[in-house]
């Protein structure tokens, strides 16, 4: 079955333990019928809007990906971000939470553990890219209006293919972050795709959101879907 075929999804919620905390995952799974699917772990932005991830997660699940939206704020008991200091303080715990999430997701019966990717928005994109720099289990990253923390320069062990999606008018995460990431990937000769939307700010709507969604699907099918899926 081609991975782009439509499949109805079954939303649910599961949890795992990380650092002594219970971490929730919103699950969007195609009918398994004994099959294993490439998995995508979704990472929300600093607003903590895991509920807003349901639309992109559902659409990817309909196309044959097992999607898990990670409540990584559960690891620190965070409900809102009140500044960069909070992010710097909690980022290492969120990284450990994501590492444990990849371990947990890889053990799920519906998941092809050799094909796991990350989909991050804003803060979640920074988290996704940071994790991909140290975790060889991550095979692809789609990052919406995020970047690679400069601190990761000292810790980067590897990188994987990345889709960069950013608005040129972004006042929250400047578009220079996208170009900085592009330079890193080119220097290390890592495959990437990039789309800068000239009129977009921090967050996409309308036709830009639709275009970004199509690019996301095509990229994940190219770099994450198992051959013959």
């Amino acid at each position: 079955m081609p991975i782009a075929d439509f499949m109805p999804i079954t939303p649910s919620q599961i949890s795992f333990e990380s650092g002594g905390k219970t971490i929730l995952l919103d699950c969007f799974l195609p009918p398994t019928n004994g099959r294993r699917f490439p998995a995508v772990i979704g990472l929300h932005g600093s607003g903590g809007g895991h509920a807003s991830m349901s639309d992109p997660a559902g659409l990817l699940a309909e196309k044959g990906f097992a999607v898990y939206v990670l409540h990584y704020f559960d690891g620190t008991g965070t409900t809102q971000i009140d500044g960069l200091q909070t992010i710097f303080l909690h980022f290492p715990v969120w990284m450990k939470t994501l590492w444990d999430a990849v371990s947990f997701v890889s053990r799920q019966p519906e998941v092809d553990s050799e094909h796991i990717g990350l989909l991050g928005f804003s803060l979640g994109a920074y988290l996704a890219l940071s994790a991909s720099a140290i975790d060889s289990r991550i095979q692809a990253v789609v990052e919406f209006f995020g970047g690679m923390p400069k601190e990761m320069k000292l810790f980067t062990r590897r990188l994987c293919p990345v889709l960069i999606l950013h608005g040129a008018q972004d006042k929250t995460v400047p578009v220079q972050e996208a170009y900085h990431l592009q330079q890193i990937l080119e220097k290390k000769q890592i495959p990437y795709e990039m789309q800068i939307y000239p009129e977009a700010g921090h967050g996409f709507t309308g036709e830009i959101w639709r275009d970004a969604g199509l690019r996301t699907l095509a990229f994940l099918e190219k770099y994450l879907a198992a051959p013959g899926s």
Side-chain angles (χ1 to χ4, degrees):
M1 178 188 295
I3 198 163
D5 285 357
F6 173 86
M7 287 183 276
I9 64 166
T10 304
S12 60
Q13 194 173 74
I14 56 178
S15 66
F16 65 99
E17 297 295 315
S18 177
K21 301 290 183 65
T22 299
I23 313 296
L24 295 178
L25 285 164
D26 299 331
C27 310
F28 300 81
L29 308 176
T32 59
N33 297 323
R35 295 179 61 204
R36 292 179 180 267
F37 298 96
V40 177
I41 298 175
L43 302 163
H44 59 73
S46 61
H50 49 79
S52 67
M53 299 284 289
S54 61
D55 283 348
L59 289 172
L60 286 176
E62 288 173 356
K63 298 299 185 179
F65 294 91
V67 186
Y68 300 84
V69 177
L70 177 63
H71 295 223
Y72 62 91
F73 279 7
D74 289 352
T76 51
T78 303
T79 55
Q80 62 181 9
I81 301 295
D82 55 11
L84 288 177
Q85 186 173 358
T86 301
I87 293 175
F88 291 139
L89 176 65
H90 292 324
F91 204 84
V93 177
W94 295 335
M95 286 279 285
K96 177 61 164 59
T97 303
L98 177 53
W99 181 283
D100 291 343
V102 174
S103 299
F104 180 75
V105 165
S106 68
R107 295 193 297 267
Q108 299 309 296
E110 62 274 4
V111 168
D112 176 355
S113 62
E114 299 297 315
H115 297 86
I116 296 177
L118 303 178
L119 169 65
F121 292 81
S122 193
L123 172 59
Y126 280 96
L127 188 61
L129 288 164
S130 298
S132 74
I134 62 173
D135 192 341
S136 61
R137 299 171 298 177
I138 298 169
Q139 299 300 303
V141 171
V142 176
E143 71 95 5
F144 281 71
F145 31 88
M148 177 69 82
K150 294 173 177 58
E151 294 81 0
M152 287 304 298
K153 183 177 182 180
L154 299 174
F155 303 102
T156 299
R157 301 172 190 163
R158 47 87 72 184
L159 287 170
C160 63
V162 178
L163 172 59
I164 304 169
L165 300 165
H166 217 109
Q169 307 304 317
D170 195 325
K171 305 301 183 186
T172 303
V173 179
V175 71
Q176 284 74 20
E177 290 288 287
Y179 294 123
H180 172 66
L181 176 58
Q182 179 187 31
Q183 291 173 356
I184 294 172
L185 295 167
E186 288 187 347
K187 184 176 181 179
K188 295 184 177 296
Q189 298 183 321
I190 303 296
Y192 75 93
E193 296 176 16
M194 180 173 178
Q195 179 63 33
I196 305 299
Y197 298 98
E199 304 303 321
H202 194 69
F204 301 157
T205 58
E207 185 56 35
I208 291 176
W209 174 247
R210 179 179 178 276
D211 180 80
L214 292 173
R215 291 176 186 273
T216 295
L217 177 61
F219 182 84
L220 291 175
E221 288 180 335
K222 180 178 181 180
Y223 287 106
L224 197 62
S229 295

